Amino acid sequence: MSQYVSRLQRRSQAAPHRLRLHRRPRRVAMLSVHTSPLHQPGTGDAGGMNVYIVELAQRLAAINIEVEIFTRATTGGLPPTVDMAPGVLVRHIDAGPYEGLNKEDLPAQLCAFTHGVMQAWAGHRPGYYDLVHSHYWLSGHVGWLAAQRWGTPLVHAMHTMAKVKNANLADGDTPEPAARVIGETQIVAAADRLIANTAEEREELVQHYAADPGKVAVVHPGVNLDRFRPADGRAAARARLGLPQDALIPLFAGRIQPLKAPDILLRAVAVLLDQRPDLRSRILVPVVGGLSGSGLAKPEGLQKLASRLGIADVVRFQPPVGQEQLADWFRAASVLVMPSYSESFGLVAIEAQAAGTPVLAAAVGGLPVAVADRRTGFLVRGHDPAAYARVLGDFADDPALTPRMGEAAARHAQSFGWDTAAAATADVYAAAAQSYRRHVRSHHG
């Protein structure tokens, strides 16, 4: 080992640039236990993280880092591997019954999942994977074991954190269990590098989980700027979706669960129509998304709320749609409304802005990074429906507000391309590999 180390040191002094390139991993094992990159975002537990993994993997492959994504098989008869894109392979691992497992049931299946990952690895030569990148705490546990077993660095992305979610719970939402808090704390200690979406998330990792600040890198998620763009404009998108041309259309798009607070939008619309009944004939509120998490306990909850508030006639519930059609919903909207209680980043906010639509959001988590307040949208402190109603009233009164802010929003979103995010992630990989080698060196020195 020490001969290898001194050879490395000699090489690093001789050719720092070549070594830096050499340090980039060639092949990464990416772990996504509870949600498959092949699933439709907006259904079940599939959301922003799915989009994140798909886009990141493809852009990493484009800069010559091969990615293999390990995910749990959720239906029978799936092929063991699927080529998702050039340089990106999805591996389906059998762990537990295919159907009917909630995210909460998955910790019990982590042993089986880890076994499947190890079986896949056993068929390869030693050193086949250069690095493990795990997403969300469930994957982090598998990643921790895999990285130890394979002798590779571990990079982990939390996406959401139990302590942060529990500090910002919606009324009647279920707190995250203690087992998750313990699990997250262990992963933070074990990872060579942690990727945070925003500087605020970095602070939360340090404050709540005692993360070493030197190990936490901030990488803003990206947006697919080819797909989410203003295209042929609002009028054309409304025509395609069969929406009225002159209506005020505040849109909710995302998973229907208390955390995302679609009820706040409905309550805000009820307040607005109470104050201004004349708006009823020209407002339409689409809710695009599927039930998820604790929202599954009350599948009809939002429809019943719309009826109770007396606004069922202006609310339109839409099942989750593919990314192309989602871009059209964003283009068609007057404003995207995101009253979430907690968001690690709020990818949907960037997607809507890239499509040329302003955003009205809660000032939580990463949303103040995603939305430039009063320039590309409005940030509201707290969850008082009346505060959201006031902003919706501004959009109703000033028809030029949507196109004016929408233009600024599209420009703002340009700085969030996935190529930038992939290059920054590759740099984190290189730093993780370097500190991992230093760590190994100090233990075998």
PDB file of all heavy atoms in Angstrom, residues 288-322:
ATOM      1  N   VAL A 288     -52.647  19.305 -10.582  1.00  0.00           N
ATOM      2  CA  VAL A 288     -52.069  18.237 -11.406  1.00  0.00           C
ATOM      3  C   VAL A 288     -51.138  17.399 -10.547  1.00  0.00           C
ATOM      4  O   VAL A 288     -50.102  17.885 -10.080  1.00  0.00           O
ATOM      5  CB  VAL A 288     -51.284  18.834 -12.609  1.00  0.00           C
ATOM      6  CG1 VAL A 288     -50.684  17.720 -13.458  1.00  0.00           C
ATOM      7  CG2 VAL A 288     -52.191  19.714 -13.460  1.00  0.00           C
ATOM      8  N   GLY A 289     -51.503  16.126 -10.295  1.00  0.00           N
ATOM      9  CA  GLY A 289     -50.640  15.267  -9.483  1.00  0.00           C
ATOM     10  C   GLY A 289     -51.408  14.126  -8.868  1.00  0.00           C
ATOM     11  O   GLY A 289     -52.639  14.081  -8.928  1.00  0.00           O
ATOM     12  N   GLY A 290     -50.666  13.182  -8.268  1.00  0.00           N
ATOM     13  CA  GLY A 290     -51.283  12.001  -7.660  1.00  0.00           C
ATOM     14  C   GLY A 290     -51.083  11.991  -6.160  1.00  0.00           C
ATOM     15  O   GLY A 290     -50.262  12.734  -5.612  1.00  0.00           O
ATOM     16  N   LEU A 291     -51.849  11.151  -5.477  1.00  0.00           N
ATOM     17  CA  LEU A 291     -51.754  11.028  -4.022  1.00  0.00           C
ATOM     18  C   LEU A 291     -50.416  10.428  -3.636  1.00  0.00           C
ATOM     19  O   LEU A 291     -49.861   9.598  -4.347  1.00  0.00           O
ATOM     20  CB  LEU A 291     -52.873  10.121  -3.504  1.00  0.00           C
ATOM     21  CG  LEU A 291     -54.285  10.697  -3.638  1.00  0.00           C
ATOM     22  CD1 LEU A 291     -55.298   9.590  -3.413  1.00  0.00           C
ATOM     23  CD2 LEU A 291     -54.502  11.834  -2.654  1.00  0.00           C
ATOM     24  N   SER A 292     -49.910  10.849  -2.472  1.00  0.00           N
ATOM     25  CA  SER A 292     -48.622  10.348  -2.015  1.00  0.00           C
ATOM     26  C   SER A 292     -48.521  10.468  -0.508  1.00  0.00           C
ATOM     27  O   SER A 292     -49.216  11.270   0.109  1.00  0.00           O
ATOM     28  CB  SER A 292     -47.523  11.188  -2.668  1.00  0.00           C
ATOM     29  OG  SER A 292     -46.274  10.849  -2.135  1.00  0.00           O
ATOM     30  N   GLY A 293     -47.613   9.672   0.073  1.00  0.00           N
ATOM     31  CA  GLY A 293     -47.325   9.791   1.508  1.00  0.00           C
ATOM     32  C   GLY A 293     -48.570   9.757   2.359  1.00  0.00           C
ATOM     33  O   GLY A 293     -49.481   8.960   2.136  1.00  0.00           O
ATOM     34  N   SER A 294     -48.643  10.671   3.345  1.00  0.00           N
ATOM     35  CA  SER A 294     -49.791  10.649   4.256  1.00  0.00           C
ATOM     36  C   SER A 294     -51.064  11.125   3.563  1.00  0.00           C
ATOM     37  O   SER A 294     -52.145  11.025   4.127  1.00  0.00           O
ATOM     38  CB  SER A 294     -49.497  11.472   5.513  1.00  0.00           C
ATOM     39  OG  SER A 294     -48.944  12.718   5.170  1.00  0.00           O
ATOM     40  N   GLY A 295     -50.951  11.639   2.321  1.00  0.00           N
ATOM     41  CA  GLY A 295     -52.144  12.003   1.557  1.00  0.00           C
ATOM     42  C   GLY A 295     -52.966  10.787   1.166  1.00  0.00           C
ATOM     43  O   GLY A 295     -54.174  10.887   0.921  1.00  0.00           O
ATOM     44  N   LEU A 296     -52.322   9.610   1.130  1.00  0.00           N
ATOM     45  CA  LEU A 296     -53.027   8.380   0.736  1.00  0.00           C
ATOM     46  C   LEU A 296     -54.107   7.993   1.744  1.00  0.00           C
ATOM     47  O   LEU A 296     -55.057   7.298   1.396  1.00  0.00           O
ATOM     48  CB  LEU A 296     -52.020   7.224   0.602  1.00  0.00           C
ATOM     49  CG  LEU A 296     -51.030   7.348  -0.567  1.00  0.00           C
ATOM     50  CD1 LEU A 296     -49.857   6.405  -0.376  1.00  0.00           C
ATOM     51  CD2 LEU A 296     -51.717   7.067  -1.894  1.00  0.00           C
ATOM     52  N   ALA A 297     -53.939   8.462   2.980  1.00  0.00           N
ATOM     53  CA  ALA A 297     -54.911   8.107   4.032  1.00  0.00           C
ATOM     54  C   ALA A 297     -56.276   8.736   3.747  1.00  0.00           C
ATOM     55  O   ALA A 297     -57.304   8.217   4.158  1.00  0.00           O
ATOM     56  CB  ALA A 297     -54.391   8.562   5.384  1.00  0.00           C
ATOM     57  N   LYS A 298     -56.283   9.870   3.024  1.00  0.00           N
ATOM     58  CA  LYS A 298     -57.555  10.545   2.712  1.00  0.00           C
ATOM     59  C   LYS A 298     -57.606  10.843   1.223  1.00  0.00           C
ATOM     60  O   LYS A 298     -57.428  11.995   0.805  1.00  0.00           O
ATOM     61  CB  LYS A 298     -57.650  11.859   3.502  1.00  0.00           C
ATOM     62  CG  LYS A 298     -57.639  11.666   5.009  1.00  0.00           C
ATOM     63  CD  LYS A 298     -57.681  13.021   5.707  1.00  0.00           C
ATOM     64  CE  LYS A 298     -57.523  12.868   7.211  1.00  0.00           C
ATOM     65  NZ  LYS A 298     -57.111  14.118   7.847  1.00  0.00           N
ATOM     66  N   PRO A 299     -57.830   9.809   0.416  1.00  0.00           N
ATOM     67  CA  PRO A 299     -57.736   9.992  -1.035  1.00  0.00           C
ATOM     68  C   PRO A 299     -58.679  11.046  -1.595  1.00  0.00           C
ATOM     69  O   PRO A 299     -58.376  11.710  -2.561  1.00  0.00           O
ATOM     70  CB  PRO A 299     -58.038   8.608  -1.602  1.00  0.00           C
ATOM     71  CG  PRO A 299     -58.595   7.809  -0.488  1.00  0.00           C
ATOM     72  CD  PRO A 299     -58.122   8.430   0.780  1.00  0.00           C
ATOM     73  N   GLU A 300     -59.848  11.222  -0.950  1.00  0.00           N
ATOM     74  CA  GLU A 300     -60.813  12.202  -1.480  1.00  0.00           C
ATOM     75  C   GLU A 300     -60.705  13.545  -0.767  1.00  0.00           C
ATOM     76  O   GLU A 300     -61.516  14.445  -0.986  1.00  0.00           O
ATOM     77  CB  GLU A 300     -62.259  11.663  -1.300  1.00  0.00           C
ATOM     78  CG  GLU A 300     -62.501  10.318  -1.972  1.00  0.00           C
ATOM     79  CD  GLU A 300     -62.311  10.382  -3.476  1.00  0.00           C
ATOM     80  OE1 GLU A 300     -62.832  11.324  -4.097  1.00  0.00           O
ATOM     81  OE2 GLU A 300     -61.621   9.502  -4.025  1.00  0.00           O
ATOM     82  N   GLY A 301     -59.719  13.662   0.107  1.00  0.00           N
ATOM     83  CA  GLY A 301     -59.629  14.829   0.987  1.00  0.00           C
ATOM     84  C   GLY A 301     -59.707  16.167   0.274  1.00  0.00           C
ATOM     85  O   GLY A 301     -60.463  17.051   0.686  1.00  0.00           O
ATOM     86  N   LEU A 302     -58.945  16.313  -0.812  1.00  0.00           N
ATOM     87  CA  LEU A 302     -58.877  17.606  -1.493  1.00  0.00           C
ATOM     88  C   LEU A 302     -60.171  17.917  -2.247  1.00  0.00           C
ATOM     89  O   LEU A 302     -60.641  19.058  -2.242  1.00  0.00           O
ATOM     90  CB  LEU A 302     -57.673  17.600  -2.452  1.00  0.00           C
ATOM     91  CG  LEU A 302     -56.875  18.885  -2.574  1.00  0.00           C
ATOM     92  CD1 LEU A 302     -56.483  19.446  -1.220  1.00  0.00           C
ATOM     93  CD2 LEU A 302     -55.635  18.666  -3.432  1.00  0.00           C
ATOM     94  N   GLN A 303     -60.753  16.878  -2.869  1.00  0.00           N
ATOM     95  CA  GLN A 303     -62.047  17.090  -3.561  1.00  0.00           C
ATOM     96  C   GLN A 303     -63.121  17.527  -2.560  1.00  0.00           C
ATOM     97  O   GLN A 303     -63.905  18.435  -2.833  1.00  0.00           O
ATOM     98  CB  GLN A 303     -62.505  15.793  -4.269  1.00  0.00           C
ATOM     99  CG  GLN A 303     -61.815  15.545  -5.597  1.00  0.00           C
ATOM    100  CD  GLN A 303     -60.586  14.665  -5.438  1.00  0.00           C
ATOM    101  OE1 GLN A 303     -59.935  14.683  -4.407  1.00  0.00           O
ATOM    102  NE2 GLN A 303     -60.266  13.898  -6.462  1.00  0.00           N
ATOM    103  N   LYS A 304     -63.115  16.851  -1.391  1.00  0.00           N
ATOM    104  CA  LYS A 304     -64.113  17.189  -0.364  1.00  0.00           C
ATOM    105  C   LYS A 304     -63.904  18.615   0.135  1.00  0.00           C
ATOM    106  O   LYS A 304     -64.870  19.345   0.393  1.00  0.00           O
ATOM    107  CB  LYS A 304     -64.037  16.194   0.805  1.00  0.00           C
ATOM    108  CG  LYS A 304     -64.673  14.852   0.469  1.00  0.00           C
ATOM    109  CD  LYS A 304     -64.583  13.903   1.645  1.00  0.00           C
ATOM    110  CE  LYS A 304     -65.261  12.580   1.316  1.00  0.00           C
ATOM    111  NZ  LYS A 304     -64.766  11.472   2.144  1.00  0.00           N
ATOM    112  N   LEU A 305     -62.635  19.002   0.272  1.00  0.00           N
ATOM    113  CA  LEU A 305     -62.332  20.355   0.736  1.00  0.00           C
ATOM    114  C   LEU A 305     -62.848  21.388  -0.277  1.00  0.00           C
ATOM    115  O   LEU A 305     -63.463  22.391   0.107  1.00  0.00           O
ATOM    116  CB  LEU A 305     -60.818  20.525   0.937  1.00  0.00           C
ATOM    117  CG  LEU A 305     -60.374  21.926   1.371  1.00  0.00           C
ATOM    118  CD1 LEU A 305     -60.905  22.269   2.765  1.00  0.00           C
ATOM    119  CD2 LEU A 305     -58.851  22.056   1.355  1.00  0.00           C
ATOM    120  N   ALA A 306     -62.638  21.115  -1.564  1.00  0.00           N
ATOM    121  CA  ALA A 306     -63.117  22.038  -2.609  1.00  0.00           C
ATOM    122  C   ALA A 306     -64.636  22.208  -2.515  1.00  0.00           C
ATOM    123  O   ALA A 306     -65.155  23.328  -2.617  1.00  0.00           O
ATOM    124  CB  ALA A 306     -62.712  21.529  -3.990  1.00  0.00           C
ATOM    125  N   SER A 307     -65.346  21.098  -2.283  1.00  0.00           N
ATOM    126  CA  SER A 307     -66.807  21.167  -2.143  1.00  0.00           C
ATOM    127  C   SER A 307     -67.204  21.952  -0.904  1.00  0.00           C
ATOM    128  O   SER A 307     -68.095  22.802  -0.949  1.00  0.00           O
ATOM    129  CB  SER A 307     -67.407  19.757  -2.032  1.00  0.00           C
ATOM    130  OG  SER A 307     -67.093  19.020  -3.184  1.00  0.00           O
ATOM    131  N   ARG A 308     -66.510  21.657   0.205  1.00  0.00           N
ATOM    132  CA  ARG A 308     -66.829  22.324   1.473  1.00  0.00           C
ATOM    133  C   ARG A 308     -66.612  23.838   1.370  1.00  0.00           C
ATOM    134  O   ARG A 308     -67.350  24.630   1.946  1.00  0.00           O
ATOM    135  CB  ARG A 308     -65.959  21.729   2.583  1.00  0.00           C
ATOM    136  CG  ARG A 308     -66.709  21.484   3.853  1.00  0.00           C
ATOM    137  CD  ARG A 308     -66.021  20.659   4.912  1.00  0.00           C
ATOM    138  NE  ARG A 308     -64.609  20.837   5.072  1.00  0.00           N
ATOM    139  CZ  ARG A 308     -63.709  19.882   4.839  1.00  0.00           C
ATOM    140  NH1 ARG A 308     -64.095  18.694   4.407  1.00  0.00           N
ATOM    141  NH2 ARG A 308     -62.426  20.093   5.036  1.00  0.00           N
ATOM    142  N   LEU A 309     -65.566  24.228   0.615  1.00  0.00           N
ATOM    143  CA  LEU A 309     -65.252  25.653   0.464  1.00  0.00           C
ATOM    144  C   LEU A 309     -66.145  26.319  -0.588  1.00  0.00           C
ATOM    145  O   LEU A 309     -66.079  27.530  -0.793  1.00  0.00           O
ATOM    146  CB  LEU A 309     -63.778  25.830   0.050  1.00  0.00           C
ATOM    147  CG  LEU A 309     -62.710  25.403   1.069  1.00  0.00           C
ATOM    148  CD1 LEU A 309     -61.326  25.383   0.426  1.00  0.00           C
ATOM    149  CD2 LEU A 309     -62.702  26.343   2.276  1.00  0.00           C
ATOM    150  N   GLY A 310     -66.946  25.491  -1.283  1.00  0.00           N
ATOM    151  CA  GLY A 310     -67.841  26.031  -2.309  1.00  0.00           C
ATOM    152  C   GLY A 310     -67.123  26.465  -3.573  1.00  0.00           C
ATOM    153  O   GLY A 310     -67.556  27.385  -4.270  1.00  0.00           O
ATOM    154  N   ILE A 311     -65.990  25.801  -3.888  1.00  0.00           N
ATOM    155  CA  ILE A 311     -65.249  26.184  -5.105  1.00  0.00           C
ATOM    156  C   ILE A 311     -65.036  24.996  -6.054  1.00  0.00           C
ATOM    157  O   ILE A 311     -64.204  25.062  -6.956  1.00  0.00           O
ATOM    158  CB  ILE A 311     -63.879  26.827  -4.767  1.00  0.00           C
ATOM    159  CG1 ILE A 311     -63.000  25.867  -3.942  1.00  0.00           C
ATOM    160  CG2 ILE A 311     -64.041  28.157  -4.034  1.00  0.00           C
ATOM    161  CD1 ILE A 311     -61.543  26.272  -3.865  1.00  0.00           C
ATOM    162  N   ALA A 312     -65.798  23.911  -5.820  1.00  0.00           N
ATOM    163  CA  ALA A 312     -65.606  22.708  -6.654  1.00  0.00           C
ATOM    164  C   ALA A 312     -65.781  23.027  -8.140  1.00  0.00           C
ATOM    165  O   ALA A 312     -65.170  22.380  -9.001  1.00  0.00           O
ATOM    166  CB  ALA A 312     -66.584  21.617  -6.226  1.00  0.00           C
ATOM    167  N   ASP A 313     -66.594  24.044  -8.452  1.00  0.00           N
ATOM    168  CA  ASP A 313     -66.857  24.363  -9.869  1.00  0.00           C
ATOM    169  C   ASP A 313     -65.650  24.987 -10.576  1.00  0.00           C
ATOM    170  O   ASP A 313     -65.570  24.973 -11.798  1.00  0.00           O
ATOM    171  CB  ASP A 313     -68.059  25.326  -9.973  1.00  0.00           C
ATOM    172  CG  ASP A 313     -67.869  26.584  -9.117  1.00  0.00           C
ATOM    173  OD1 ASP A 313     -67.367  26.452  -7.980  1.00  0.00           O
ATOM    174  OD2 ASP A 313     -68.203  27.686  -9.580  1.00  0.00           O
ATOM    175  N   VAL A 314     -64.688  25.540  -9.803  1.00  0.00           N
ATOM    176  CA  VAL A 314     -63.534  26.178 -10.466  1.00  0.00           C
ATOM    177  C   VAL A 314     -62.245  25.366 -10.325  1.00  0.00           C
ATOM    178  O   VAL A 314     -61.206  25.739 -10.855  1.00  0.00           O
ATOM    179  CB  VAL A 314     -63.293  27.631  -9.950  1.00  0.00           C
ATOM    180  CG1 VAL A 314     -64.497  28.504 -10.230  1.00  0.00           C
ATOM    181  CG2 VAL A 314     -62.894  27.658  -8.487  1.00  0.00           C
ATOM    182  N   VAL A 315     -62.298  24.238  -9.601  1.00  0.00           N
ATOM    183  CA  VAL A 315     -61.102  23.406  -9.419  1.00  0.00           C
ATOM    184  C   VAL A 315     -61.167  22.222 -10.377  1.00  0.00           C
ATOM    185  O   VAL A 315     -62.206  21.576 -10.508  1.00  0.00           O
ATOM    186  CB  VAL A 315     -60.984  22.897  -7.960  1.00  0.00           C
ATOM    187  CG1 VAL A 315     -59.722  22.061  -7.782  1.00  0.00           C
ATOM    188  CG2 VAL A 315     -60.966  24.073  -6.992  1.00  0.00           C
ATOM    189  N   ARG A 316     -60.063  21.963 -11.056  1.00  0.00           N
ATOM    190  CA  ARG A 316     -60.013  20.811 -11.963  1.00  0.00           C
ATOM    191  C   ARG A 316     -58.872  19.883 -11.549  1.00  0.00           C
ATOM    192  O   ARG A 316     -57.712  20.277 -11.551  1.00  0.00           O
ATOM    193  CB  ARG A 316     -59.777  21.281 -13.403  1.00  0.00           C
ATOM    194  CG  ARG A 316     -59.803  20.105 -14.383  1.00  0.00           C
ATOM    195  CD  ARG A 316     -59.332  20.478 -15.769  1.00  0.00           C
ATOM    196  NE  ARG A 316     -60.261  21.372 -16.451  1.00  0.00           N
ATOM    197  CZ  ARG A 316     -60.128  21.692 -17.749  1.00  0.00           C
ATOM    198  NH1 ARG A 316     -59.121  21.209 -18.450  1.00  0.00           N
ATOM    199  NH2 ARG A 316     -60.988  22.504 -18.309  1.00  0.00           N
ATOM    200  N   PHE A 317     -59.242  18.642 -11.156  1.00  0.00           N
ATOM    201  CA  PHE A 317     -58.227  17.664 -10.742  1.00  0.00           C
ATOM    202  C   PHE A 317     -57.733  16.885 -11.952  1.00  0.00           C
ATOM    203  O   PHE A 317     -58.529  16.346 -12.717  1.00  0.00           O
ATOM    204  CB  PHE A 317     -58.795  16.709  -9.682  1.00  0.00           C
ATOM    205  CG  PHE A 317     -59.038  17.392  -8.370  1.00  0.00           C
ATOM    206  CD1 PHE A 317     -60.294  17.899  -8.042  1.00  0.00           C
ATOM    207  CD2 PHE A 317     -57.997  17.562  -7.467  1.00  0.00           C
ATOM    208  CE1 PHE A 317     -60.515  18.550  -6.838  1.00  0.00           C
ATOM    209  CE2 PHE A 317     -58.213  18.211  -6.248  1.00  0.00           C
ATOM    210  CZ  PHE A 317     -59.468  18.710  -5.941  1.00  0.00           C
ATOM    211  N   GLN A 318     -56.405  16.859 -12.119  1.00  0.00           N
ATOM    212  CA  GLN A 318     -55.796  16.158 -13.261  1.00  0.00           C
ATOM    213  C   GLN A 318     -54.838  15.101 -12.736  1.00  0.00           C
ATOM    214  O   GLN A 318     -54.023  15.404 -11.857  1.00  0.00           O
ATOM    215  CB  GLN A 318     -54.938  17.155 -14.080  1.00  0.00           C
ATOM    216  CG  GLN A 318     -55.715  18.154 -14.885  1.00  0.00           C
ATOM    217  CD  GLN A 318     -56.329  17.514 -16.126  1.00  0.00           C
ATOM    218  OE1 GLN A 318     -57.490  17.717 -16.403  1.00  0.00           O
ATOM    219  NE2 GLN A 318     -55.549  16.720 -16.848  1.00  0.00           N
ATOM    220  N   PRO A 319     -54.889  13.871 -13.261  1.00  0.00           N
ATOM    221  CA  PRO A 319     -53.879  12.891 -12.835  1.00  0.00           C
ATOM    222  C   PRO A 319     -52.490  13.338 -13.286  1.00  0.00           C
ATOM    223  O   PRO A 319     -52.377  14.220 -14.140  1.00  0.00           O
ATOM    224  CB  PRO A 319     -54.312  11.608 -13.554  1.00  0.00           C
ATOM    225  CG  PRO A 319     -55.208  12.040 -14.655  1.00  0.00           C
ATOM    226  CD  PRO A 319     -55.823  13.339 -14.256  1.00  0.00           C
ATOM    227  N   PRO A 320     -51.427  12.731 -12.723  1.00  0.00           N
ATOM    228  CA  PRO A 320     -50.076  13.122 -13.123  1.00  0.00           C
ATOM    229  C   PRO A 320     -49.881  12.987 -14.633  1.00  0.00           C
ATOM    230  O   PRO A 320     -50.456  12.093 -15.257  1.00  0.00           O
ATOM    231  CB  PRO A 320     -49.182  12.129 -12.378  1.00  0.00           C
ATOM    232  CG  PRO A 320     -50.006  11.648 -11.247  1.00  0.00           C
ATOM    233  CD  PRO A 320     -51.423  11.672 -11.720  1.00  0.00           C
ATOM    234  N   VAL A 321     -49.078  13.878 -15.195  1.00  0.00           N
ATOM    235  CA  VAL A 321     -48.839  13.861 -16.643  1.00  0.00           C
ATOM    236  C   VAL A 321     -47.346  13.717 -16.903  1.00  0.00           C
ATOM    237  O   VAL A 321     -46.526  13.974 -16.028  1.00  0.00           O
ATOM    238  CB  VAL A 321     -49.366  15.157 -17.319  1.00  0.00           C
ATOM    239  CG1 VAL A 321     -50.881  15.259 -17.202  1.00  0.00           C
ATOM    240  CG2 VAL A 321     -48.714  16.403 -16.719  1.00  0.00           C
ATOM    241  N   GLY A 322     -46.996  13.292 -18.128  1.00  0.00           N
ATOM    242  CA  GLY A 322     -45.585  13.179 -18.521  1.00  0.00           C
ATOM    243  C   GLY A 322     -44.928  14.550 -18.564  1.00  0.00           C
ATOM    244  O   GLY A 322     -45.596  15.582 -18.554  1.00  0.00           O
TER     245      GLY A 322
END
